[in-house]
Amino acid sequence: MVSEHDGKDCVFRAIMVDGRVVGNISIEGKLDVYCKDGEIGYLLLTEYWSKGIMTEAVCQICDVAFSELDIVRITGLAYAPNVASQRVLEKNGFIREGEQKKAVFKNERLYALVLYGKLK
């Protein structure tokens, strides 16, 4: 259940525009030796793309996660062809750290996964 974990080991938020839920965003803490790292994930309805909404949502949730969670790093992952998602991360100070070849199988195709990191 989100309410019992929010602010302890994860931060989940709905993305709202004009009172309507148009997406979601989260940063989830990792376990074991990765416990000081959180992974960001987000989704936005296509009709709201390219309006700066996700860039602002990432900015806000990173601030919340760094203040509420016991983490020093946030990891972001994006499919290599998803340049827009990579730009959202870069605009928020995430640094491209590498690429995993053939790491994602989606729609009957293999894609590279681009790794980004942001430090507190």
Side-chain angles (χ1 to χ4, degrees), residues 9-12 25-29 38-41 58 61-62 65 69 71 73-74:
D9 56 11
C10 61
V11 179
F12 290 96
I25 188 166
S26 66
I27 296 178
E28 297 184 62
E39 185 171 322
I40 190 167
V58 169
I61 203 163
C62 286
L69 305 179
I71 59 174
R73 171 192 168 81
I74 300 172

Side-chain angles (χ1 to χ4, degrees), residues 35-106:
C35 65
K36 296 297 182 181
D37 187 9
E39 185 171 322
I40 190 167
Y42 43 82
L43 172 75
L44 188 65
L45 295 176
T46 54
E47 61 262 34
Y48 293 92
W49 290 1
S50 301
K51 298 177 189 284
I53 295 166
M54 191 54 73
T55 298
E56 180 59 28
V58 169
C59 177
Q60 289 182 24
I61 203 163
C62 286
D63 289 344
V64 171
F66 279 137
S67 68
E68 292 186 11
L69 305 179
D70 187 21
I71 59 174
V72 297
R73 171 192 168 81
I74 300 172
T75 296
L77 304 168
Y79 302 141
N82 191 343
V83 177
S85 186
Q86 293 174 54
R87 285 291 301 136
V88 165
L89 294 171
E90 290 166 358
K91 287 179 187 178
N92 278 285
F94 283 77
I95 304 299
R96 183 181 172 128
E97 296 178 334
E99 188 173 294
Q100 297 174 321
K101 306 290 184 195
K102 298 182 180 182
V104 177
F105 187 69
K106 181 178 179 180

